[in-house]
Amino acid sequence: MNPSTQKMGFNATWSMAVGGMVGGGIFSTLGVVIGISGALAWLSFLVAGVIALAAGYSYVKLTRHYGKGGGAFTFLRKIGAMQSAGTPAWGLIVGYVLTNPVYAYTFGQYLSHVAGFGGVFARSAAVGIMAVFIGLNLRSIGQSSGVEILLVWFKLVVLVALSVIGLAHWEPQMLARGAPDAGIGTALFGAAAVFMAYEGFQLLAYDYEDIADADRTLPRAVLSAIAVVIVVYVMVALGTPMLIGADGVIGNQEVALALAGEKAMGKAGLVIVTVAAAFSTGSAINSTLFATARLAREVTQKGELPLAVDHENRFGIPDRAVIVLGALAALFAAIGTLSNLVEAASLAFLCTFAIVGGLAFHAGAGSRILTGFGAASSAAAALALIDRLWRTSPLALVMFAVLLLVAIFGRPWLLRHVETQAPSED
């Protein structure tokens, strides 16, 4: 937030949490999860949501325990694990770099569909929207909390209305039409694969100082926001196939909700859902790019990234971080596939959330039953996703493994051979 603005109250904080999750999450992942879990896609969203609730609980309890915002990087440094803190920080940055292409890719697909253009236009629009938000972030043109509240409620109304119309045409066979014959085990794999649909709440962990009465507001806002998003996602996973069938969702996974909107309300429905998708993905790109650049600057100031990254323009924005992170996201949006980007980003966040849950358990922050469950469930989901990627997308897994090895082993070597800022104590 701009320092001159008032701190966020519960309504703004809750809206930011919901917006961070819904902002592209369901628009990007519905087709992916139905393609994996078939008629049990709703169960995948439910299970992923339960894991997210436990992870959110760990985040807010650790934030309150230390009286400081941040993620795994900050919390590891708090317990004195200075040498290992950089690895999850790099992993989290990779997760964000893989998340923004998902949002940009989805934006391009929805825009191309409503305009009647093809795949080249969709890819170009994805790169273009990243360029737009790089420019906006460099000039510190953000989105006010008031605008965010309005956009969040608009998105929620559109999604709930679409789901209610679909559920009013209840035909259970539509959930399985043309979809894989999946069991509960497969639905658990689906939960792991689309976990990134819930990751947006953690952006608030970096806004601790901008929240009024943060120790009270943050837990209430984050946990209730996750609970509401779970309900919305389950409704959408059940309602959308009632309108276009599971096969329609799978075959048009990039724009499935737009097709459902058109089926429900004609051309007006197509336009309304497309506008909601554009606002959702756009706001998600904006907030994620800003938060990632701020994280990169913090990591740099602690000596875990080259000093060259810690550069600000005349607006006080970490411009080099914004440009590099945005350019990488644009590149992945231009060449990546939706399912691979979604699953790779989900794996990055599951690994990070497992670490945060473990840290909360170790610190005794909150109930150890809940924090332990969060750590164990996130780790188990990450292992399940690794197994799935090995069987279905080995190249994507190899690329992720290379990035992980670079973070663990290449990072210390790089930092010994480039100029870094002297690590500061928290």
Side-chain angles (χ1 to χ4, degrees), residues 75 110 126 144 156 246 275 380:
F75 300 141
Y110 273 85
S144 72
L156 289 179
V275 170

Side-chain angles (χ1 to χ4, degrees), residues 131-213:
V132 167
F133 280 108
I134 289 173
L136 290 177
N137 272 269
L138 288 176
R139 294 187 62 84
S140 189
I141 301 176
Q143 186 169 277
S144 72
S145 59
V147 172
E148 180 67 18
I149 291 170
L150 290 175
L151 290 180
V152 164
W153 280 106
F154 170 67
K155 290 178 282 190
L156 289 179
V157 168
V158 170
L159 290 172
V160 171
L162 186 64
S163 302
V164 169
I165 294 173
L167 291 171
H169 296 81
W170 182 256
E171 295 180 45
Q173 64 271 22
M174 296 290 278
L175 292 172
R177 193 180 75 183
D181 185 15
I184 292 179
T186 305
L188 298 180
F189 280 98
V194 295
F195 188 76
M196 66 146 288
Y198 287 101
E199 62 80 22
F201 73 83
Q202 70 168 323
L203 295 177
L204 280 174
Y206 304 105
D207 293 328
Y208 180 82
E209 288 77 14
D210 295 324
I211 298 172
D213 192 13

Side-chain angles (χ1 to χ4, degrees), residues 24-45:
I26 192 67
F27 293 97
S28 305
T29 61
L30 180 62
V32 174
V33 71
I34 290 182
I36 297 171
S37 308
L40 294 178
W42 64 270
L43 181 59
S44 295
F45 280 117

Side-chain angles (χ1 to χ4, degrees), residues 247-319:
D247 53 344
V249 177
I250 296 170
N252 303 276
Q253 62 177 268
E254 296 90 351
V255 293
L257 288 176
L259 293 178
E262 186 174 24
K263 182 72 173 179
M265 296 173 280
K267 193 70 173 179
L270 170 64
V271 173
I272 290 171
V273 173
T274 300
V275 170
F279 279 136
S280 293
T281 52
S283 64
I285 292 169
N286 186 42
S287 58
T288 302
L289 182 58
F290 178 77
T292 311
R294 184 158 56 178
L295 172 63
R297 179 169 57 182
E298 179 185 355
V299 173
T300 302
Q301 291 172 348
K302 299 297 190 295
E304 291 292 345
L305 278 173
L307 184 60
V309 177
D310 188 23
H311 181 273
E312 293 183 351
N313 63 13
R314 62 191 179 94
F315 299 103
I317 302 299
D319 52 351

